[in-house]
Amino acid sequence: RKEVEQDPGPFNVPEGATVAFNCTYSNSASQSFFWYRQDCRKEPKLLMSVYSSGNEDGRFTAQLNRASQYISLLIRDSKLSDSATYLCVVNPNSGNTPLVFGKGTRLSVIA
Amino acid sequence: DAGVTQSPTHLIKTRGQQVTLRCSPKSGHDTVSWYQQALGQGPQFIFQYYEEEERQRGNFPDRFSGHQFPNYSSELNVNALLLGDSALYLCASSLPLPGTGRNTIYFGEGSWLTVV
């Protein structure tokens, strides 16, 4: 089983749609969880950190279920500018341990 | 305050050659990590440097080596290049948040390496 697995995608959705990304992780002792956004041919950029049961930032909501080892990202009222690849990222330990990335799920928001 | 800077941004090398990529971390960040991202994949951890020592290493062959300098900047060296080494190489710098056990991580824009 891969350490971090995501929906394979791609997702093609119309503007205004709600889209959900799912991610599972294999290391039950993992400490920190993140969603990164990566635009085409650019570096990954932190979208949201998920430290407890979940958090919300505007149109974006991240949820964590430690019992199921499952993380989700919900985007409401999607915009054309949301088109990107969304990477699920896990830090197996605290501090400066290396991040473990999922393969990413590509989202295209269509006018 | 400059973020993480990497050079060169793009380069093309021939199989068997050697390459050196460079990274300057964000000001005050003492830990530098390198990741390889092949097309269509997520970044994969190569190694991490702290206090000029390799502290952790991912599942990469010895052809991949690195160095960290006293000013915290870092180099990634790859010897005997293979076609499969073609990828985006990302440098990340980090600094622990005091008292939290967490750290803030910043990525550079990456170096695109094409091996032909």
Side-chain angles (χ1 to χ4, degrees):
Chain A
R1 181 181 174 186
K2 290 185 180 175
E3 289 188 80
V4 179
E5 291 202 70
Q6 296 185 238
D7 293 329
F11 289 6
N12 299 310
V13 303
E15 272 187 293
T18 296
V19 59
F21 300 102
N22 301 309
C23 172
T24 57
Y25 58 95
S26 61
N27 184 349
S28 59
S30 295
Q31 296 291 312
S32 306
F33 310 90
F34 312 91
W35 284 99
Y36 275 72
R37 171 193 167 125
Q38 187 171 26
D39 293 292
C40 189
R41 302 186 69 80
K42 295 288 190 181
E43 77 278 19
K45 291 185 178 176
L46 179 65
L47 177 66
M48 296 182 75
S49 301
V50 188
Y51 285 115
S52 55
S53 61
N55 48 301
E56 185 174 316
D57 182 5
R59 298 182 294 111
F60 299 84
T61 301
Q63 292 286 334
L64 168 65
N65 184 323
R66 285 187 182 270
S68 302
Q69 294 175 214
Y70 169 86
I71 312 157
S72 66
L73 175 68
L74 187 75
I75 306 177
R76 291 180 298 277
D77 187 24
S78 52
K79 313 289 185 191
L80 295 175
S81 57
D82 294 332
S83 297
T85 295
Y86 290 83
L87 296 159
C88 177
V89 185
V90 174
N91 186 340
N93 295 294
S94 61
N96 271 329
T97 48
L99 300 178
V100 181
F101 287 78
K103 211 171 163 180
T105 304
R106 171 81 189 148
L107 170 66
S108 292
V109 181
I110 305 161
Chain B
D1 176 25
V4 181
T5 58
Q6 292 187 241
S7 63
T9 55
H10 296 79
L11 70 167
I12 300 174
K13 290 285 189 177
T14 305
R15 274 181 300 176
Q17 284 189 313
Q18 179 264 345
V19 68
T20 297
L21 308 177
R22 296 176 177 82
C23 172
S24 292
K26 188 172 171 61
S27 178
H29 285 197
D30 56 6
T31 302
V32 173
S33 302
W34 287 92
Y35 292 80
Q36 179 197 66
Q37 186 175 21
L39 202 61
Q41 304 293 318
Q44 299 291 313
F45 173 71
I46 303 175
F47 42 53
Q48 182 182 82
Y49 277 84
Y50 172 72
E51 292 188 342
E52 303 179 50
E53 297 283 334
E54 182 183 291
R55 186 160 67 174
Q56 298 185 73
R57 189 179 181 92
N59 189 25
F60 278 79
D62 292 344
R63 297 186 298 110
F64 289 76
S65 63
H67 189 79
Q68 186 178 34
F69 299 94
N71 66 352
Y72 305 137
S73 66
S74 176
E75 288 182 350
L76 164 65
N77 301 291
V78 187
N79 295 322
L81 285 166
L82 304 173
L83 296 179
D85 294 331
S86 296
L88 174 66
Y89 288 84
L90 294 160
C91 174
S93 75
S94 55
L95 184 69
L97 300 173
T100 67
R102 301 169 186 166
N103 58 319
T104 306
I105 299 167
Y106 294 84
F107 282 91
E109 292 189 356
S111 294
W112 286 94
L113 170 65
T114 301
V115 182
V116 297

